Amino acid sequence: MSISVIIPAYTMNRWDTLVGAVASCQNQSLTPDEIIVVIDYNDELLARATSKFIGTRVIANQSTKGVSGARNTAVAAATGEIIACLDDDAYADYDWLEKLTEPLVG
């Protein structure tokens, strides 16, 4: 099963935690097929994230402003059969995806 991880972000004030959130998803024991960072109506953050997160899809929210709209935009763009969401101020444990998807694949 393919896995897409979605991380919505909206403010430069959380840049350091966003970087940590993306890194924690890149370093999973079960590697996601894609990581999508969706930027919620912040052009400065969109430009910075696009240049920083090589190998990660960075997209702009095309839906209603706010976390729900951002997640809906990312879900529409995702290719994974499984969608996992992580906030921009959270860090995923090393085996987060493995434990999260175990009931679906095991």
Side-chain angles (χ1 to χ4, degrees):
M1 298 190 114
S2 57
I3 304 169
S4 299
V5 174
I6 294 171
I7 305 172
Y10 70 96
T11 179
M12 291 292 290
N13 293 338
R14 291 186 176 181
W15 176 254
D16 291 338
T17 57
L18 175 59
V19 170
V22 171
S24 73
C25 291
Q26 291 171 329
N27 297 314
Q28 287 292 299
S29 59
L30 177 61
T31 305
D33 295 278
E34 66 181 347
I35 299 169
I36 302 173
V37 175
V38 58
I39 306 299
D40 190 30
Y41 294 95
N42 184 326
D43 292 336
E44 179 185 9
L45 182 57
L46 180 63
R48 188 169 185 188
T50 299
S51 67
K52 168 70 176 177
F53 301 128
I54 306 303
T56 297
R57 291 178 61 192
V58 178
I59 62 175
N61 182 4
Q62 300 297 312
S63 186
T64 308
K65 188 174 183 177
V67 70
S68 295
R71 286 187 181 134
N72 287 337
T73 292
V75 167
T79 61
E81 297 167 286
I82 298 172
I83 307 292
C85 296
L86 186 72
D87 289 338
D88 64 343
D89 63 346
Y91 303 93
D93 288 338
Y94 174 72
D95 58 354
W96 170 65
L97 280 180
E98 188 176 345
K99 287 183 176 179
L100 183 70
T101 59
E102 187 176 333
L104 302 172
V105 297

